Amino acid sequence: MPFLTAQTTDELDSLATFAGQQLDQIATTLHGLSPEQIRQVPTASAMSLGALARHAILITEGAVAHIAAAPEEGSEPERTPAQYEAEGTISPEAVREEDTAESLIAELHQAGERLGAVLRAADPETEGPYPDQPWFEGRQLWSVRWYALHQIEENARHAGHADILRESIDGKGAYELNALADGQEWPPAGW
């Protein structure tokens, strides 16, 4: 049941590994859920696990585009205004008709791999312009290092949200889900 982030070799590998691990943790919370369950809103917030996964994929795709384009102006992946509105605010409309737990898990893993690859290839000192979003107001430039740490921060926050949502659906916590996602029994022998 690997729960901790894997060993790393240097700064870029650490940034990439920690950023990807947070996306993996969001993916783990989707393990074994039905299409209805990924759309369920089990807490006082308007979030479902499916919508949260879509949001994490959206912000990661944007980060990959911005880091890859640095120091030039980054570009957002193409999506409709309705998709951006739904996915950017983690609303129920973010979940697509074709989404399943398995398809979202695969997309989260792929997003983490793309983010890891672009971070490992980047110079952490390279600066680029901030995305044109209101929550970055007042900022002009970011370094790849800062942006990587921001991705870790953003996805760690959402991994925590995902844990709470999943526990609200069926009581399963992070340790159990990591074991089950890895095909291991829960609880482990001796617990």
Side-chain angles (χ1 to χ4, degrees), residues 134-145:
W135 45 89
F136 290 122
E137 186 176 318
R139 307 249 181 198
Q140 303 257 325
L141 294 174
W142 51 266
S143 67
V144 166
R145 179 182 292 107

Side-chain angles (χ1 to χ4, degrees), residues 29-97:
T29 65
L30 295 160
H31 179 75
L33 293 180
S34 69
E36 294 78 25
Q37 288 172 310
I38 68 169
R39 290 164 175 79
Q40 188 176 342
V41 180
T43 66
S45 88
M47 284 189 241
S48 70
L49 278 170
L52 184 62
R54 276 273 152 236
H55 176 75
I57 293 163
L58 172 100
I59 62 172
T60 302
E61 288 175 347
V64 168
H66 284 287
I67 292 167
E72 303 301 319
E73 196 69 38
S75 62
E76 286 288 324
E78 285 196 32
R79 58 183 54 87
T80 67
Q83 280 178 313
Y84 190 82
E85 171 89 18
E87 295 168 20
T89 59
I90 317 178
S91 70
E93 297 80 31
V95 185
R96 299 174 185 169
E97 188 174 321

Side-chain angles (χ1 to χ4, degrees), residues 125-137:
E125 300 298 324
T126 299
E127 292 186 333
Y130 274 82
D132 184 23
Q133 302 297 336
W135 45 89
F136 290 122
E137 186 176 318

